[in-house]
Amino acid sequence: MSLLAPVRRDRVIAELPPCFTKEAALHSRTSFHPKVVGMCQAQRTGTVGFKISKIIVVGDLSVGKTCLINRFCKDTFDKNYKATIGVDFEMERFEVLGVPFSLQLWDTAGQERFKCIASTYYRGAQAIILVFDVNDVTSLDHTRQWLADALKENDPAGVILFLVGTKKDLSSPAQYNLIEKDALKVAKEMQAEYWAVSSLTGENVREFFFRVAAQTFEGSVMAELEKSSARRIGDIVRIASDERDLYLTEKRRRAKCCQ
Amino acid sequence: MEEPAAKPGAPRQLALEQVYRLAGSLGSELQRLSDLCGSAAVAALVPQVVCLLELLEALAAGAGPRKLPQREAATATAGEEVRPAASQDEEETLSEGRKRERLLQVRLAQVEEENQKLLGQLAGGQSQADRATHKEREVMLRLKEVVDKQRDEIRAQAHEILSKSRDTEALQEQLSRFMAVNEELRHKLAVVQLQLKKALQEKEALENALLATSREADRLKEAQRGKESSRPGMDKGAAAAPMEEAPSRDQGGRCFSKEELQEILQERNELKTSLFLVREELAYYQRELLNNERIPSLLLGAMQLAIRKQHKKIRAKMLGTTEESGSSDEEEGVWLASPDSDTVDGSVAQSRIKSFFGLWYRSGKDSSTDAYPGAWEIVDRQEVDPEKEEEERKGA
């Protein structure tokens, strides 16, 4: 039995969602890593946990970070600009390969004067979404700086990067093709996955966030696998010695955590 | 007069005559008796008397076969001869008596026959009655058996009804408990929503104020820059500093310092987290109610406790704060043993019991302490509800 509420049907991920373009994708696989799939199948008999991954969304002011999040989480769009004060967050619950999984999407303020407040929320992110306006080349250039700032608080090897161009509906195909070249170059530099979306029309928004959820999930499971396999031997020994009194073990562990 | 004449055959003639006389008197006597007491009184007597008289007659007359056919006539003539005066009506009476005798004899035979028949009938009737009582007894016994069986059945049914009604009572009690829980949750949700609404309003007001402040600050900055450019001798370092503190200084009571803003944001985040958790909890209970699962109150209490503890952990995770009691025991390795499927369609996964005994179902429990949160932000159930497991043990 789960202590968690059920997940919405339209937030169930059973297959790895495809990337936007193969030119700038995190990897070229078309399905989840077999190890991850096996793990998810095996752990179904275990107990309940609550997994949250922290995602931060950064980028210049008024590129559409809040709109992007609102389109996905609330399916709304507000044309009027309203600056985000400091930070805000939205929770989005998924079920990936049968495992409940939550994304906490941190929407940060793009305005320079809120940067000092917003940056205190950067820490502990599993993925960084760098947002720029496809109609504004400078916002694309600024993503490098945003990334540098975000990486000050995070382990560069442990985070997954996404570069997202917004307001695609406002750009003509020719203009878009032009900026896409630059964006792909930047994405490759950063080793980020590139996406272009429109929060107004909703184009690619859902696909993008599903990809984020799936990749974050997979990355975390892989990291866990590595860690747990490194510790396996010690665990077996420990568990064998405790086997006779599990109740006592429980007590001891609690006592330790309450110190 | 004739007596001396008949002296030589006197004993015989006399005897015969005497017999007839006797018969006559007896006949009249019998007639009288029958008149007096009814024909039935003498009915039995007559044939014997007749028989006797006949024997006497035969004896008196001697064994003369020639005389026998003419016996009547002989008697009559003898009577006439002996007593010509009185014999006429005597004979009549006699014949009459004889006729009556015969009649009575016939009747007697009939009656006897009838009697015999009735006796036979009576005997038959008695055996029939015997058989009837026997049958009746059997029927009664069978009836008793049936009644006993039915009584037992009724008792069993009464017992069943009793236990059923007890079950019903228990179920109703449970239902009312659930209703109470639901009510409580609704109330909580309403409260939190209200708080959130207020907070959002506050936020909006703050945003407006901030916007105005920042505009003012921008304006002042511009002005300052203008002054700086006009007075190039001024210190550059001094100009950079006020930029950050501008909101707090510029408009006195109307604006907020960075710390205040951070506090407000923190509060907003906390409220949002609360709302999220309460919604989760509500959804959980709604699902439980909809699934119509029967949960013993002991388990329910334990579950509530577990949820509350889990929520505390999730809250800490979401807000990025560390729990006072030591979230240092965060485990990343427990992913192996993490959740069973959270169902999409709202049906409860099968292994509820297993989940309560989660300890036994995990292979690689990792209790190593990591100061830094890893890739996973996991709030593990085992961490969260050891109480529940204890409850389980007590209950078991």
PDB file of all heavy atoms in Angstrom, chain A residues 39 47-48 87-89 93 95 126 224 227 231 238-239 246 257, chain B residues 268 272 280 325 332 335 338-339 342 360 362 365-366 375-376 381:
ATOM      1  N   MET A  39      15.646  -2.361 -12.296  1.00  0.00           N
ATOM      2  CA  MET A  39      15.543  -1.835 -10.931  1.00  0.00           C
ATOM      3  C   MET A  39      14.096  -1.477 -10.587  1.00  0.00           C
ATOM      4  O   MET A  39      13.604  -1.800  -9.515  1.00  0.00           O
ATOM      5  CB  MET A  39      16.400  -0.582 -10.869  1.00  0.00           C
ATOM      6  CG  MET A  39      16.530  -0.035  -9.505  1.00  0.00           C
ATOM      7  SD  MET A  39      18.100  -0.506  -8.832  1.00  0.00           S
ATOM      8  CE  MET A  39      18.471   0.953  -7.925  1.00  0.00           C
ATOM      9  N   THR A  47       9.010  -1.042   0.017  1.00  0.00           N
ATOM     10  CA  THR A  47       8.132  -0.157   0.775  1.00  0.00           C
ATOM     11  C   THR A  47       7.988   1.181   0.061  1.00  0.00           C
ATOM     12  O   THR A  47       8.505   1.396  -1.018  1.00  0.00           O
ATOM     13  CB  THR A  47       8.710   0.073   2.172  1.00  0.00           C
ATOM     14  OG1 THR A  47      10.051   0.517   2.000  1.00  0.00           O
ATOM     15  CG2 THR A  47       8.654  -1.192   2.975  1.00  0.00           C
ATOM     16  N   VAL A  48       7.267   2.051   0.723  1.00  0.00           N
ATOM     17  CA  VAL A  48       6.938   3.313   0.079  1.00  0.00           C
ATOM     18  C   VAL A  48       8.003   4.360   0.356  1.00  0.00           C
ATOM     19  O   VAL A  48       8.470   4.513   1.466  1.00  0.00           O
ATOM     20  CB  VAL A  48       5.596   3.828   0.619  1.00  0.00           C
ATOM     21  CG1 VAL A  48       5.226   5.113  -0.070  1.00  0.00           C
ATOM     22  CG2 VAL A  48       4.545   2.785   0.438  1.00  0.00           C
ATOM     23  N   VAL A  87      11.762  33.792  -5.777  1.00  0.00           N
ATOM     24  CA  VAL A  87      11.535  32.454  -6.350  1.00  0.00           C
ATOM     25  C   VAL A  87      10.100  32.009  -6.101  1.00  0.00           C
ATOM     26  O   VAL A  87       9.390  32.565  -5.271  1.00  0.00           O
ATOM     27  CB  VAL A  87      12.462  31.374  -5.740  1.00  0.00           C
ATOM     28  CG1 VAL A  87      13.887  31.556  -6.166  1.00  0.00           C
ATOM     29  CG2 VAL A  87      12.309  31.343  -4.233  1.00  0.00           C
ATOM     30  N   ASP A  88       9.745  31.000  -6.830  1.00  0.00           N
ATOM     31  CA  ASP A  88       8.452  30.356  -6.630  1.00  0.00           C
ATOM     32  C   ASP A  88       8.670  28.897  -7.016  1.00  0.00           C
ATOM     33  O   ASP A  88       9.652  28.580  -7.680  1.00  0.00           O
ATOM     34  CB  ASP A  88       7.397  30.999  -7.533  1.00  0.00           C
ATOM     35  CG  ASP A  88       5.991  30.682  -7.053  1.00  0.00           C
ATOM     36  OD1 ASP A  88       5.853  29.908  -6.084  1.00  0.00           O
ATOM     37  OD2 ASP A  88       5.038  31.204  -7.649  1.00  0.00           O
ATOM     38  N   PHE A  89       7.767  28.024  -6.579  1.00  0.00           N
ATOM     39  CA  PHE A  89       7.950  26.639  -7.025  1.00  0.00           C
ATOM     40  C   PHE A  89       6.605  25.990  -7.314  1.00  0.00           C
ATOM     41  O   PHE A  89       5.569  26.428  -6.825  1.00  0.00           O
ATOM     42  CB  PHE A  89       8.745  25.813  -6.016  1.00  0.00           C
ATOM     43  CG  PHE A  89       7.978  25.445  -4.779  1.00  0.00           C
ATOM     44  CD1 PHE A  89       7.163  24.325  -4.768  1.00  0.00           C
ATOM     45  CD2 PHE A  89       8.090  26.207  -3.625  1.00  0.00           C
ATOM     46  CE1 PHE A  89       6.458  23.987  -3.632  1.00  0.00           C
ATOM     47  CE2 PHE A  89       7.384  25.874  -2.489  1.00  0.00           C
ATOM     48  CZ  PHE A  89       6.570  24.757  -2.497  1.00  0.00           C
ATOM     49  N   ARG A  93       3.732  15.816 -10.097  1.00  0.00           N
ATOM     50  CA  ARG A  93       3.925  14.402  -9.767  1.00  0.00           C
ATOM     51  C   ARG A  93       3.857  13.534 -11.014  1.00  0.00           C
ATOM     52  O   ARG A  93       2.985  13.721 -11.853  1.00  0.00           O
ATOM     53  CB  ARG A  93       2.872  13.960  -8.767  1.00  0.00           C
ATOM     54  CG  ARG A  93       2.977  14.765  -7.489  1.00  0.00           C
ATOM     55  CD  ARG A  93       2.190  14.119  -6.407  1.00  0.00           C
ATOM     56  NE  ARG A  93       2.450  12.695  -6.433  1.00  0.00           N
ATOM     57  CZ  ARG A  93       1.692  11.809  -5.812  1.00  0.00           C
ATOM     58  NH1 ARG A  93       0.679  12.200  -5.135  1.00  0.00           N
ATOM     59  NH2 ARG A  93       1.985  10.529  -5.882  1.00  0.00           N
ATOM     60  N   GLU A  95       4.681   9.368 -12.672  1.00  0.00           N
ATOM     61  CA  GLU A  95       4.959   7.972 -12.384  1.00  0.00           C
ATOM     62  C   GLU A  95       5.836   7.476 -13.523  1.00  0.00           C
ATOM     63  O   GLU A  95       5.398   7.412 -14.668  1.00  0.00           O
ATOM     64  CB  GLU A  95       3.677   7.166 -12.316  1.00  0.00           C
ATOM     65  CG  GLU A  95       3.932   5.776 -11.793  1.00  0.00           C
ATOM     66  CD  GLU A  95       2.665   4.942 -11.803  1.00  0.00           C
ATOM     67  OE1 GLU A  95       1.857   5.091 -10.878  1.00  0.00           O
ATOM     68  OE2 GLU A  95       2.496   4.170 -12.747  1.00  0.00           O
ATOM     69  N   GLN A 126      18.918  18.798  -9.294  1.00  0.00           N
ATOM     70  CA  GLN A 126      19.292  17.641 -10.094  1.00  0.00           C
ATOM     71  C   GLN A 126      19.314  17.974 -11.585  1.00  0.00           C
ATOM     72  O   GLN A 126      19.917  17.267 -12.365  1.00  0.00           O
ATOM     73  CB  GLN A 126      18.324  16.482  -9.868  1.00  0.00           C
ATOM     74  CG  GLN A 126      18.758  15.584  -8.747  1.00  0.00           C
ATOM     75  CD  GLN A 126      18.057  15.991  -7.458  1.00  0.00           C
ATOM     76  OE1 GLN A 126      16.879  15.730  -7.287  1.00  0.00           O
ATOM     77  NE2 GLN A 126      18.768  16.648  -6.572  1.00  0.00           N
ATOM     78  N   GLU A 224      22.233   6.039  -8.105  1.00  0.00           N
ATOM     79  CA  GLU A 224      21.946   5.178  -6.960  1.00  0.00           C
ATOM     80  C   GLU A 224      22.520   3.799  -7.146  1.00  0.00           C
ATOM     81  O   GLU A 224      23.064   3.201  -6.219  1.00  0.00           O
ATOM     82  CB  GLU A 224      20.431   5.052  -6.779  1.00  0.00           C
ATOM     83  CG  GLU A 224      19.869   5.950  -5.746  1.00  0.00           C
ATOM     84  CD  GLU A 224      20.888   6.348  -4.725  1.00  0.00           C
ATOM     85  OE1 GLU A 224      21.287   5.454  -3.941  1.00  0.00           O
ATOM     86  OE2 GLU A 224      21.315   7.505  -4.689  1.00  0.00           O
ATOM     87  N   LYS A 227      26.143   3.729  -6.436  1.00  0.00           N
ATOM     88  CA  LYS A 227      26.413   3.834  -5.000  1.00  0.00           C
ATOM     89  C   LYS A 227      26.073   2.545  -4.282  1.00  0.00           C
ATOM     90  O   LYS A 227      26.847   2.046  -3.467  1.00  0.00           O
ATOM     91  CB  LYS A 227      25.603   4.971  -4.392  1.00  0.00           C
ATOM     92  CG  LYS A 227      26.267   6.307  -4.566  1.00  0.00           C
ATOM     93  CD  LYS A 227      25.574   7.350  -3.736  1.00  0.00           C
ATOM     94  CE  LYS A 227      26.108   8.726  -4.071  1.00  0.00           C
ATOM     95  NZ  LYS A 227      25.361   9.786  -3.402  1.00  0.00           N
ATOM     96  N   ARG A 231      28.307  -0.431  -2.158  1.00  0.00           N
ATOM     97  CA  ARG A 231      28.128  -0.687  -0.724  1.00  0.00           C
ATOM     98  C   ARG A 231      27.584  -2.069  -0.437  1.00  0.00           C
ATOM     99  O   ARG A 231      27.492  -2.473   0.711  1.00  0.00           O
ATOM    100  CB  ARG A 231      27.136   0.321  -0.153  1.00  0.00           C
ATOM    101  CG  ARG A 231      27.700   1.703  -0.033  1.00  0.00           C
ATOM    102  CD  ARG A 231      26.601   2.617   0.458  1.00  0.00           C
ATOM    103  NE  ARG A 231      27.016   3.996   0.390  1.00  0.00           N
ATOM    104  CZ  ARG A 231      26.182   4.996   0.163  1.00  0.00           C
ATOM    105  NH1 ARG A 231      24.918   4.739  -0.049  1.00  0.00           N
ATOM    106  NH2 ARG A 231      26.609   6.229   0.144  1.00  0.00           N
ATOM    107  N   ARG A 238      26.461  -6.661   7.230  1.00  0.00           N
ATOM    108  CA  ARG A 238      25.786  -6.007   8.338  1.00  0.00           C
ATOM    109  C   ARG A 238      24.406  -6.619   8.591  1.00  0.00           C
ATOM    110  O   ARG A 238      24.032  -6.929   9.712  1.00  0.00           O
ATOM    111  CB  ARG A 238      25.630  -4.522   8.042  1.00  0.00           C
ATOM    112  CG  ARG A 238      25.147  -3.718   9.228  1.00  0.00           C
ATOM    113  CD  ARG A 238      25.092  -2.249   8.871  1.00  0.00           C
ATOM    114  NE  ARG A 238      24.210  -1.998   7.757  1.00  0.00           N
ATOM    115  CZ  ARG A 238      22.863  -1.961   7.861  1.00  0.00           C
ATOM    116  NH1 ARG A 238      22.288  -2.159   9.022  1.00  0.00           N
ATOM    117  NH2 ARG A 238      22.126  -1.738   6.810  1.00  0.00           N
ATOM    118  N   ILE A 239      23.718  -6.833   7.543  1.00  0.00           N
ATOM    119  CA  ILE A 239      22.373  -7.368   7.705  1.00  0.00           C
ATOM    120  C   ILE A 239      22.411  -8.760   8.287  1.00  0.00           C
ATOM    121  O   ILE A 239      21.640  -9.113   9.163  1.00  0.00           O
ATOM    122  CB  ILE A 239      21.634  -7.334   6.351  1.00  0.00           C
ATOM    123  CG1 ILE A 239      21.166  -5.899   6.116  1.00  0.00           C
ATOM    124  CG2 ILE A 239      20.443  -8.280   6.340  1.00  0.00           C
ATOM    125  CD1 ILE A 239      20.572  -5.646   4.789  1.00  0.00           C
ATOM    126  N   LEU A 246      15.765  -7.819  14.374  1.00  0.00           N
ATOM    127  CA  LEU A 246      15.521  -6.664  13.505  1.00  0.00           C
ATOM    128  C   LEU A 246      14.893  -5.505  14.266  1.00  0.00           C
ATOM    129  O   LEU A 246      15.100  -4.354  13.976  1.00  0.00           O
ATOM    130  CB  LEU A 246      14.606  -7.078  12.358  1.00  0.00           C
ATOM    131  CG  LEU A 246      15.290  -8.014  11.367  1.00  0.00           C
ATOM    132  CD1 LEU A 246      14.249  -8.757  10.565  1.00  0.00           C
ATOM    133  CD2 LEU A 246      16.203  -7.232  10.449  1.00  0.00           C
ATOM    134  N   CYS A 257      19.819   8.388  14.771  1.00  0.00           N
ATOM    135  CA  CYS A 257      19.375   9.524  13.962  1.00  0.00           C
ATOM    136  C   CYS A 257      18.870  10.657  14.843  1.00  0.00           C
ATOM    137  O   CYS A 257      18.774  11.784  14.415  1.00  0.00           O
ATOM    138  CB  CYS A 257      18.298   9.105  12.973  1.00  0.00           C
ATOM    139  SG  CYS A 257      16.665   9.051  13.692  1.00  0.00           S
TER     140      CYS A 257
ATOM    141  N   ARG B 268       5.836  31.978   2.202  1.00  0.00           N
ATOM    142  CA  ARG B 268       5.012  31.573   1.060  1.00  0.00           C
ATOM    143  C   ARG B 268       5.328  30.136   0.666  1.00  0.00           C
ATOM    144  O   ARG B 268       4.438  29.326   0.429  1.00  0.00           O
ATOM    145  CB  ARG B 268       5.285  32.522  -0.105  1.00  0.00           C
ATOM    146  CG  ARG B 268       4.170  32.635  -1.093  1.00  0.00           C
ATOM    147  CD  ARG B 268       4.439  31.858  -2.368  1.00  0.00           C
ATOM    148  NE  ARG B 268       5.802  31.877  -2.799  1.00  0.00           N
ATOM    149  CZ  ARG B 268       6.272  32.687  -3.740  1.00  0.00           C
ATOM    150  NH1 ARG B 268       5.479  33.559  -4.299  1.00  0.00           N
ATOM    151  NH2 ARG B 268       7.535  32.616  -4.104  1.00  0.00           N
ATOM    152  N   LYS B 272       2.830  26.956   0.671  1.00  0.00           N
ATOM    153  CA  LYS B 272       2.608  26.176  -0.545  1.00  0.00           C
ATOM    154  C   LYS B 272       2.888  24.698  -0.297  1.00  0.00           C
ATOM    155  O   LYS B 272       2.157  23.828  -0.766  1.00  0.00           O
ATOM    156  CB  LYS B 272       3.535  26.683  -1.652  1.00  0.00           C
ATOM    157  CG  LYS B 272       2.784  27.422  -2.740  1.00  0.00           C
ATOM    158  CD  LYS B 272       3.701  27.802  -3.850  1.00  0.00           C
ATOM    159  CE  LYS B 272       2.996  27.728  -5.173  1.00  0.00           C
ATOM    160  NZ  LYS B 272       3.758  28.367  -6.240  1.00  0.00           N
ATOM    161  N   GLU B 280      -2.292  16.108  -0.787  1.00  0.00           N
ATOM    162  CA  GLU B 280      -1.860  14.717  -0.918  1.00  0.00           C
ATOM    163  C   GLU B 280      -2.621  13.839   0.073  1.00  0.00           C
ATOM    164  O   GLU B 280      -3.137  12.795  -0.274  1.00  0.00           O
ATOM    165  CB  GLU B 280      -0.363  14.603  -0.594  1.00  0.00           C
ATOM    166  CG  GLU B 280       0.522  15.216  -1.617  1.00  0.00           C
ATOM    167  CD  GLU B 280       0.841  14.230  -2.712  1.00  0.00           C
ATOM    168  OE1 GLU B 280       1.574  13.275  -2.435  1.00  0.00           O
ATOM    169  OE2 GLU B 280       0.337  14.406  -3.816  1.00  0.00           O
ATOM    170  N   SER B 325      15.840  17.067  14.072  1.00  0.00           N
ATOM    171  CA  SER B 325      16.131  15.773  14.676  1.00  0.00           C
ATOM    172  C   SER B 325      17.193  15.002  13.912  1.00  0.00           C
ATOM    173  O   SER B 325      17.508  13.885  14.271  1.00  0.00           O
ATOM    174  CB  SER B 325      14.855  14.946  14.755  1.00  0.00           C
ATOM    175  OG  SER B 325      14.318  14.834  13.470  1.00  0.00           O
ATOM    176  N   GLU B 332      20.540   7.305   0.506  1.00  0.00           N
ATOM    177  CA  GLU B 332      20.337   7.233  -0.932  1.00  0.00           C
ATOM    178  C   GLU B 332      20.288   5.788  -1.367  1.00  0.00           C
ATOM    179  O   GLU B 332      19.707   5.431  -2.347  1.00  0.00           O
ATOM    180  CB  GLU B 332      21.470   7.944  -1.655  1.00  0.00           C
ATOM    181  CG  GLU B 332      21.432   9.432  -1.374  1.00  0.00           C
ATOM    182  CD  GLU B 332      22.731   9.917  -0.802  1.00  0.00           C
ATOM    183  OE1 GLU B 332      23.745   9.780  -1.476  1.00  0.00           O
ATOM    184  OE2 GLU B 332      22.730  10.423   0.328  1.00  0.00           O
ATOM    185  N   TRP B 335      17.137   3.278  -2.197  1.00  0.00           N
ATOM    186  CA  TRP B 335      16.267   3.287  -3.383  1.00  0.00           C
ATOM    187  C   TRP B 335      15.845   1.883  -3.745  1.00  0.00           C
ATOM    188  O   TRP B 335      14.726   1.635  -4.151  1.00  0.00           O
ATOM    189  CB  TRP B 335      17.012   3.912  -4.568  1.00  0.00           C
ATOM    190  CG  TRP B 335      16.035   4.284  -5.611  1.00  0.00           C
ATOM    191  CD1 TRP B 335      15.371   5.449  -5.730  1.00  0.00           C
ATOM    192  CD2 TRP B 335      15.569   3.454  -6.665  1.00  0.00           C
ATOM    193  NE1 TRP B 335      14.536   5.414  -6.781  1.00  0.00           N
ATOM    194  CE2 TRP B 335      14.626   4.191  -7.374  1.00  0.00           C
ATOM    195  CE3 TRP B 335      15.849   2.153  -7.075  1.00  0.00           C
ATOM    196  CZ2 TRP B 335      13.976   3.684  -8.482  1.00  0.00           C
ATOM    197  CZ3 TRP B 335      15.201   1.651  -8.174  1.00  0.00           C
ATOM    198  CH2 TRP B 335      14.276   2.411  -8.872  1.00  0.00           C
ATOM    199  N   SER B 338      12.759   1.029  -2.152  1.00  0.00           N
ATOM    200  CA  SER B 338      11.686   1.997  -2.099  1.00  0.00           C
ATOM    201  C   SER B 338      10.390   1.509  -2.716  1.00  0.00           C
ATOM    202  O   SER B 338      10.179   0.341  -2.851  1.00  0.00           O
ATOM    203  CB  SER B 338      12.137   3.337  -2.618  1.00  0.00           C
ATOM    204  OG  SER B 338      13.019   3.173  -3.639  1.00  0.00           O
ATOM    205  N   PRO B 339       9.558   2.377  -3.083  1.00  0.00           N
ATOM    206  CA  PRO B 339       8.129   2.138  -2.941  1.00  0.00           C
ATOM    207  C   PRO B 339       7.573   1.031  -3.804  1.00  0.00           C
ATOM    208  O   PRO B 339       8.136   0.674  -4.803  1.00  0.00           O
ATOM    209  CB  PRO B 339       7.550   3.446  -3.431  1.00  0.00           C
ATOM    210  CG  PRO B 339       8.532   3.893  -4.425  1.00  0.00           C
ATOM    211  CD  PRO B 339       9.854   3.428  -3.983  1.00  0.00           C
ATOM    212  N   ASP B 342       2.837   3.162  -6.808  1.00  0.00           N
ATOM    213  CA  ASP B 342       1.758   4.088  -6.462  1.00  0.00           C
ATOM    214  C   ASP B 342       0.807   4.009  -7.639  1.00  0.00           C
ATOM    215  O   ASP B 342       1.183   4.270  -8.756  1.00  0.00           O
ATOM    216  CB  ASP B 342       2.326   5.486  -6.342  1.00  0.00           C
ATOM    217  CG  ASP B 342       1.301   6.403  -5.730  1.00  0.00           C
ATOM    218  OD1 ASP B 342       0.203   5.940  -5.410  1.00  0.00           O
ATOM    219  OD2 ASP B 342       1.615   7.567  -5.596  1.00  0.00           O
ATOM    220  N   TRP B 360      11.667  -6.133   6.509  1.00  0.00           N
ATOM    221  CA  TRP B 360      12.014  -7.495   6.094  1.00  0.00           C
ATOM    222  C   TRP B 360      12.117  -7.594   4.580  1.00  0.00           C
ATOM    223  O   TRP B 360      12.520  -8.592   4.060  1.00  0.00           O
ATOM    224  CB  TRP B 360      10.971  -8.481   6.603  1.00  0.00           C
ATOM    225  CG  TRP B 360      11.171  -8.796   8.037  1.00  0.00           C
ATOM    226  CD1 TRP B 360      11.868  -9.824   8.563  1.00  0.00           C
ATOM    227  CD2 TRP B 360      10.688  -8.042   9.142  1.00  0.00           C
ATOM    228  NE1 TRP B 360      11.842  -9.759   9.917  1.00  0.00           N
ATOM    229  CE2 TRP B 360      11.133  -8.683  10.310  1.00  0.00           C
ATOM    230  CE3 TRP B 360       9.926  -6.867   9.258  1.00  0.00           C
ATOM    231  CZ2 TRP B 360      10.834  -8.224  11.578  1.00  0.00           C
ATOM    232  CZ3 TRP B 360       9.635  -6.401  10.504  1.00  0.00           C
ATOM    233  CH2 TRP B 360      10.090  -7.075  11.659  1.00  0.00           C
ATOM    234  N   ARG B 362      13.541  -5.362   2.520  1.00  0.00           N
ATOM    235  CA  ARG B 362      14.567  -4.592   1.853  1.00  0.00           C
ATOM    236  C   ARG B 362      15.877  -5.336   1.935  1.00  0.00           C
ATOM    237  O   ARG B 362      16.212  -5.959   2.912  1.00  0.00           O
ATOM    238  CB  ARG B 362      14.670  -3.192   2.447  1.00  0.00           C
ATOM    239  CG  ARG B 362      14.731  -3.157   3.939  1.00  0.00           C
ATOM    240  CD  ARG B 362      14.684  -1.752   4.394  1.00  0.00           C
ATOM    241  NE  ARG B 362      13.456  -1.129   3.924  1.00  0.00           N
ATOM    242  CZ  ARG B 362      13.407   0.141   3.619  1.00  0.00           C
ATOM    243  NH1 ARG B 362      14.467   0.888   3.682  1.00  0.00           N
ATOM    244  NH2 ARG B 362      12.280   0.660   3.249  1.00  0.00           N
ATOM    245  N   LYS B 365      19.859  -2.161   2.926  1.00  0.00           N
ATOM    246  CA  LYS B 365      19.598  -0.981   3.746  1.00  0.00           C
ATOM    247  C   LYS B 365      20.924  -0.267   3.985  1.00  0.00           C
ATOM    248  O   LYS B 365      21.918  -0.843   4.394  1.00  0.00           O
ATOM    249  CB  LYS B 365      19.000  -1.433   5.080  1.00  0.00           C
ATOM    250  CG  LYS B 365      18.674  -0.314   6.004  1.00  0.00           C
ATOM    251  CD  LYS B 365      17.391   0.380   5.553  1.00  0.00           C
ATOM    252  CE  LYS B 365      17.020   1.460   6.545  1.00  0.00           C
ATOM    253  NZ  LYS B 365      17.854   2.634   6.402  1.00  0.00           N
ATOM    254  N   ASP B 366      20.863   1.008   3.772  1.00  0.00           N
ATOM    255  CA  ASP B 366      22.081   1.779   3.889  1.00  0.00           C
ATOM    256  C   ASP B 366      21.890   2.829   4.956  1.00  0.00           C
ATOM    257  O   ASP B 366      21.023   3.671   4.876  1.00  0.00           O
ATOM    258  CB  ASP B 366      22.353   2.450   2.539  1.00  0.00           C
ATOM    259  CG  ASP B 366      23.541   3.367   2.635  1.00  0.00           C
ATOM    260  OD1 ASP B 366      24.346   3.213   3.565  1.00  0.00           O
ATOM    261  OD2 ASP B 366      23.643   4.247   1.787  1.00  0.00           O
ATOM    262  N   ALA B 375      21.906  12.704  -5.392  1.00  0.00           N
ATOM    263  CA  ALA B 375      21.090  12.949  -6.564  1.00  0.00           C
ATOM    264  C   ALA B 375      19.613  12.783  -6.243  1.00  0.00           C
ATOM    265  O   ALA B 375      18.767  13.534  -6.695  1.00  0.00           O
ATOM    266  CB  ALA B 375      21.499  11.987  -7.665  1.00  0.00           C
ATOM    267  N   TRP B 376      19.333  11.779  -5.454  1.00  0.00           N
ATOM    268  CA  TRP B 376      17.946  11.559  -5.055  1.00  0.00           C
ATOM    269  C   TRP B 376      17.635  12.351  -3.806  1.00  0.00           C
ATOM    270  O   TRP B 376      18.395  12.360  -2.873  1.00  0.00           O
ATOM    271  CB  TRP B 376      17.741  10.097  -4.677  1.00  0.00           C
ATOM    272  CG  TRP B 376      17.447   9.178  -5.785  1.00  0.00           C
ATOM    273  CD1 TRP B 376      18.091   8.030  -6.042  1.00  0.00           C
ATOM    274  CD2 TRP B 376      16.431   9.291  -6.735  1.00  0.00           C
ATOM    275  NE1 TRP B 376      17.529   7.418  -7.100  1.00  0.00           N
ATOM    276  CE2 TRP B 376      16.521   8.168  -7.557  1.00  0.00           C
ATOM    277  CE3 TRP B 376      15.436  10.241  -7.013  1.00  0.00           C
ATOM    278  CZ2 TRP B 376      15.663   7.955  -8.623  1.00  0.00           C
ATOM    279  CZ3 TRP B 376      14.589  10.021  -8.068  1.00  0.00           C
ATOM    280  CH2 TRP B 376      14.710   8.891  -8.863  1.00  0.00           C
ATOM    281  N   ARG B 381      10.213   5.615   3.722  1.00  0.00           N
ATOM    282  CA  ARG B 381       9.145   5.291   4.641  1.00  0.00           C
ATOM    283  C   ARG B 381       9.660   4.656   5.918  1.00  0.00           C
ATOM    284  O   ARG B 381       9.118   4.819   6.987  1.00  0.00           O
ATOM    285  CB  ARG B 381       8.152   4.360   3.970  1.00  0.00           C
ATOM    286  CG  ARG B 381       6.725   4.650   4.379  1.00  0.00           C
ATOM    287  CD  ARG B 381       5.811   3.639   3.789  1.00  0.00           C
ATOM    288  NE  ARG B 381       5.240   2.866   4.849  1.00  0.00           N
ATOM    289  CZ  ARG B 381       5.790   1.789   5.370  1.00  0.00           C
ATOM    290  NH1 ARG B 381       6.925   1.382   4.920  1.00  0.00           N
ATOM    291  NH2 ARG B 381       5.194   1.141   6.325  1.00  0.00           N
TER     292      ARG B 381
END
